[in-house]
């Protein structure tokens, strides 16, 4: 009897161990491909991870890889995730989304910090959903309101320089839209495009020397070199309306922006629905920020002698 009881106990312990292993193996594995290490993208990744942790606890294993601004590295990161058979990929930036979409048509992909999905995915017909294994959230700020902010702060300006990276499709999209708004307001707009960080200084200096005020969109290349831009702006004494808060904090005077942490959190909740089988990624509509904040860089305004408009929240408060 004792021997039988011992065998039964051993069998029970073995079953519990196997159940524990099975439980661990049923967790979800998620790969995060983040293009840059600047503030906006970091905040989006953190929000995403916090949402997963709150909703799924230790059922999720999240691996974050940073491409250091190199789109080719995004491709390598995504392929490594696919080789590891991850359950979902978070593509943090347009270039990361493009790399992930090109690499797989099966693994669910969510984008974050992507401005315009049709442009990013080269889709001519757009009805709010991709119809493929891609969905996510958009960081599109209200470009009409940003144009109105520029007009409020600089009503006497004549020439507006539009500074952006020509290799970022979302920047091209934003410039096209805001240029239309600004030209309707009577501003003369000139585009100043650079291809990478190597020619930012020379292009920015040329833009400053021929403009009364600059507008820069939510552009990852610009976000990664705001200190360099700040040096040019302070030297040339030309103010910048930035596309997002991190750019404004680095080199701008004001912006109307979204909260990237909140955007990442919303994307994390979308991931939970997909992983738990509550949503089909192909039919999950792209989500947009429900609210925006008008912020001002008081230090830069003071340095350039720019009056702070009423209703603006100082950055960091």
């Amino acid at each position: 009897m004792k021997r039988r009881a011992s065998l039964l106990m051993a069998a029970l312990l073995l079953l519990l161990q196997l159940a524990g292993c099975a439980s661990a193996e049923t967790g979800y594995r998620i790969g995060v491909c983040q293009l840059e290490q600047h503030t906006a993208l970091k905040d989006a990744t953190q929000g995403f991870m916090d949402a997963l942790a709150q909703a799924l606890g230790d059922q999720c294993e999240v691996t974050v890889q940073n491409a250091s601004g190199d789109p080719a590295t995004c491709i390598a990161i995504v392929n490594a995730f696919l080789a590891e058979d991850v359950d979902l990929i978070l593509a943090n930036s347009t270039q990361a989304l493009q790399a992930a979409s090109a690499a797989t048509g099966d693994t669910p992909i969510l984008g974050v910090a992507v401005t315009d999905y049709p442009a990013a995915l080269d889709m001519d017909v757009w009805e709010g959903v991709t119809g493929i294994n891609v969905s996510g959230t958009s960081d599109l700020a209200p470009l009409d309101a940003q144009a109105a902010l520029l007009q409020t702060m600089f009503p006497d300006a004549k020439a507006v320089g539009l500074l952006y990276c020509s290799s970022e499709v979302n920047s091209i999209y934003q410039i096209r839209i805001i240029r239309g708004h600004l030209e309707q307001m009577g501003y003369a707009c000139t585009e100043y495009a650079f291809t990478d960080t190597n020619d930012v200084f020379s292009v920015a200096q040329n833009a400053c020397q021929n403009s009364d005020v600059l507008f820069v969109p939510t552009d990852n290349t610009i976000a990664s070199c705001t200190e360099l831009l700040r040096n040019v702006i302070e030297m040339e004494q030309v103010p910048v309306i930035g596309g997002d808060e991190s750019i404004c904090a680095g080199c701008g005077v004001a912006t109307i922006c979204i909260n990237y942490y909140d955007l990442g959190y919303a994307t994390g909740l979308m991931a939970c629905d997909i992983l738990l089988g509550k949503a089909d990624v192909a039919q999950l509509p792209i989500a947009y920020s429900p609210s925006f904040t008008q912020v001002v860089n008081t230090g830069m305004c003071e340095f350039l002698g720019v009056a702070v408009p009423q209703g603006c929240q100082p950055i960091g408060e």
Side-chain angles (χ1 to χ4, degrees):
M1 290 293 292
K2 289 183 179 179
R3 183 171 182 274
R4 182 178 296 176
S6 297
L7 290 172
L8 287 172
M9 181 62 70
L12 179 60
L13 289 172
L14 179 60
L15 286 171
L16 289 172
Q17 289 176 347
L18 291 173
C21 291
S23 176
E25 290 174 359
T26 56
Y28 303 107
R29 296 203 298 171
I30 298 173
V32 177
C33 179
Q34 181 177 312
L35 176 66
E36 296 269 8
Q37 194 60 19
H38 64 70
T39 303
L41 300 190
K42 286 168 59 179
D43 287 350
T45 293
Q46 190 61 56
F48 177 81
M49 294 176 66
D50 287 351
L52 289 173
Q54 184 172 350
L56 299 176
D58 58 4
Q59 294 181 59
C60 272
E61 177 187 339
V62 182
T63 302
V64 180
Q65 295 289 341
N66 192 286
S68 300
D70 182 13
T73 303
C74 287
I75 297 172
I77 290 171
V78 167
N79 285 330
F81 286 154
L82 294 174
E84 294 168 5
D85 197 27
V86 297
D87 298 293
L88 184 143
I89 294 174
L90 176 72
N92 192 344
S93 79
T94 298
Q95 291 91 331
L97 181 75
Q98 291 171 326
S101 179
T104 177
D106 300 315
T107 301
I109 300 166
L110 288 177
V112 68
V114 176
T115 305
D116 184 57
Y117 281 78
L121 299 172
D122 195 24
M123 291 183 167
D124 295 327
V125 178
W126 181 247
E127 297 179 350
V129 297
T130 66
I132 57 174
N133 61 317
V134 177
S135 188
T137 54
S138 169
D139 64 353
L140 181 63
L143 295 170
D144 55 344
Q146 288 184 339
L149 176 63
L150 187 150
Q151 185 181 44
T152 298
M153 295 185 69
F154 308 103
D156 298 326
K158 303 297 182 186
V160 177
L162 306 173
L163 181 67
Y164 66 101
C165 180
S166 60
S167 63
E168 296 199 27
V169 294
N170 285 328
S171 296
I172 296 171
Y173 170 80
Q174 291 172 80
I175 292 299
R176 176 172 60 83
I177 299 300
I178 201 165
R179 179 169 188 161
H181 292 306
L182 291 170
E183 288 181 340
Q184 284 184 346
M185 294 173 176
Y187 292 104
C189 297
T190 303
E191 295 183 18
Y192 297 91
F194 55 88
T195 55
D196 54 41
T197 55
N198 293 322
D199 57 350
V200 168
F201 186 91
S202 60
V203 174
Q205 189 172 43
N206 183 33
C208 286
Q209 291 173 351
N210 292 281
S211 308
D212 300 314
V213 59
L214 299 183
F215 172 81
V216 297
T218 53
D219 184 298
N220 286 303
T221 307
I222 288 176
S224 69
C225 59
T226 54
E227 185 175 350
L228 176 63
L229 278 174
R230 185 185 183 101
N231 292 335
V232 179
I233 289 157
E234 290 182 344
M235 179 175 60
E236 300 293 340
Q237 297 282 295
V238 176
V240 169
I241 297 294
D244 64 48
E245 185 172 351
S246 64
I247 291 174
C248 185
C251 64
V253 292
T255 187
I256 297 175
C257 59
I258 67 166
N259 184 302
Y260 276 87
Y261 177 89
D262 291 346
L263 198 70
Y265 196 94
T267 314
L269 296 180
M270 294 172 74
C272 293
D273 285 344
I274 293 168
L275 293 170
L276 296 174
K278 296 179 180 179
D280 176 5
V281 63
Q283 299 303 318
L284 193 58
I286 301 301
Y288 296 82
S289 177
S291 61
F292 306 96
T293 305
Q294 187 170 301
V295 298
V296 63
N297 184 336
T298 53
M300 183 62 84
C301 285
E302 182 178 350
F303 180 84
L304 296 174
V306 175
V308 176
Q310 292 184 347
C312 276
Q313 175 182 308
I315 289 176
E317 294 187 3

